[in-house]
Amino acid sequence: MQKFTAFSILLSMIVVLATVDVLFHDYLGGNEVAVVQEVDSTVDTTQDSSTEEVDTVTTDEVAPTEVTPIEETPATDETPVELQEEHISTWFTGDLLTQAGFVKPVVKEALFSGLIFQIIPFSDGANTQTLQLNFFDGEVYVGTFYEIVYATDTGSFQGYLSLREAAKSLTDLGTVNEVNMYGDASFYFNHKTKVKTVHMLALYGNRVLGFEYAQSEHEKMKKLFDILSALQ
C-alpha cells in the first residue's frame, strides 16, 4: 500500500513537470514570434519614411524657376524733345550802368507781377517778352526796371500808347506828365503818395522801358536815358 502511494506521488510529479515544461516552451516560442514581427514592422516603417524624404527633395530640386525677361523700349527718332523758351537779353548791363555813373551796379531778375510800377496793369501779348529787374548799386537798392520787348516797332508803339492810357485812368493814384524828353516818347507818372520816387515810362524802338527809382538818383538816371538812345 505504501509502495502504491509512493508510485502515485512520483507519477503526479512527473505529470506536473511535463506540463510545466510544455507550457514554458510554448510561451517562449510565442514571444519570439512577436518580437520578430515587431522588428520587421519597424524596419518597414523606416524604409517608407526614407523613401518619402528622397522623393520630396527630388521634387524641389527638379522644379524650375521661371524668369521673365525685361523688355527695353528702344529709343526712336519720334521721342519728343522739350523746347526751351528763348530768354531775352536785357539792355541793362553792368557796363552800361557804369557809364551812367553807378559804381557797383548789380541787376537781379525778379518775377514780373503783371503791374508796371505796381500800379499799371499789363498783360503779355503773344509777341512780347517782359522782364522785371531789381537794381542795386553795391548793396544799396536803387530801384526797379521794367523791360517789354515787342516783335516790331509798331507793336511797341501801340503798347506804349495802351500803357499811357491805362496810367491816365489812375486819377486816384496820380497824374501823367507826358514830356517826350527821352527815347521816341516818354512820360512821368507823378504819384500822389510816393513823392520821393520817380516813375518814368519810355519808348525805345521795339522796347518799352519802365524806370522806378529814388529821386536822389535822378541825375545818373538821366545819363542812362541818353545812353539807351544809342542802342536803338
Side-chain angles (χ1 to χ4, degrees):
M1 187 69 179
Q2 292 178 351
K3 292 181 180 180
F4 178 77
T5 301
F7 177 79
S8 298
I9 292 172
L10 180 60
L11 179 61
S12 298
M13 292 178 63
I14 292 172
V15 172
V16 171
L17 292 173
T19 303
V20 171
D21 181 70
V22 170
L23 293 173
F24 181 78
H25 281 85
D26 289 341
Y27 174 76
L28 291 177
N31 188 34
E32 290 175 358
V33 173
V35 171
V36 171
Q37 290 177 351
E38 183 178 354
V39 172
D40 292 341
S41 176
T42 302
V43 172
D44 292 341
T45 302
T46 304
Q47 290 177 352
D48 293 342
S49 177
S50 301
T51 303
E52 291 177 359
E53 291 179 359
V54 172
D55 292 341
T56 301
V57 172
T58 303
T59 302
D60 292 340
E61 292 178 352
V62 171
T65 301
E66 296 184 0
V67 178
T68 304
I70 300 175
E71 297 182 359
E72 297 183 357
T73 304
T76 63
D77 295 337
E78 297 180 357
T79 303
V81 178
E82 184 178 356
L83 298 178
Q84 296 182 350
E85 183 179 354
E86 184 180 355
H87 191 73
I88 64 174
S89 58
T90 178
W91 275 5
F92 299 106
T93 63
D95 292 340
L96 185 142
L97 294 170
T98 300
Q99 293 178 34
F102 295 100
V103 180
K104 296 180 180 179
V106 178
V107 177
K108 297 181 180 180
E109 184 174 353
L111 181 65
F112 179 54
S113 64
L115 297 172
I116 306 297
F117 308 144
Q118 304 303 314
I119 54 175
I120 306 175
F122 175 79
S123 299
D124 290 345
N127 297 320
T128 62
Q129 292 178 299
T130 306
L131 286 177
Q132 181 172 329
L133 307 166
N134 293 328
F135 174 41
F136 300 82
D137 193 6
E139 296 181 355
V140 178
Y141 173 72
V142 177
T144 303
F145 297 149
Y146 299 88
E147 192 168 5
I148 308 171
V149 183
Y150 291 80
T152 63
D153 291 356
T154 302
S156 63
F157 180 67
Q158 293 176 348
Y160 171 82
L161 295 178
S162 297
L163 289 171
R164 186 189 65 183
E165 295 306 312
K168 287 182 177 180
S169 67
L170 302 175
T171 55
D172 56 333
L173 296 177
T175 58
V176 171
N177 180 17
E178 191 167 8
V179 293
N180 294 322
M181 294 176 60
Y182 307 106
D184 300 319
S186 61
F187 68 85
Y188 287 102
F189 184 82
N190 299 323
H191 204 288
K192 289 182 178 180
T193 58
K194 297 181 180 180
V195 294
K196 293 184 178 181
T197 302
V198 178
H199 303 86
M200 198 272 285
L201 200 72
L203 174 65
Y204 288 86
N206 69 328
R207 301 186 184 222
V208 175
L209 304 180
F211 305 89
E212 181 181 6
Y213 55 92
Q215 193 176 40
S216 59
E217 303 292 340
H218 187 56
E219 293 301 319
K220 295 177 184 177
M221 294 302 297
K222 288 194 297 183
K223 294 180 181 179
L224 176 62
F225 302 153
D226 292 335
I227 296 172
L228 291 172
S229 298
L231 300 179
Q232 293 181 249

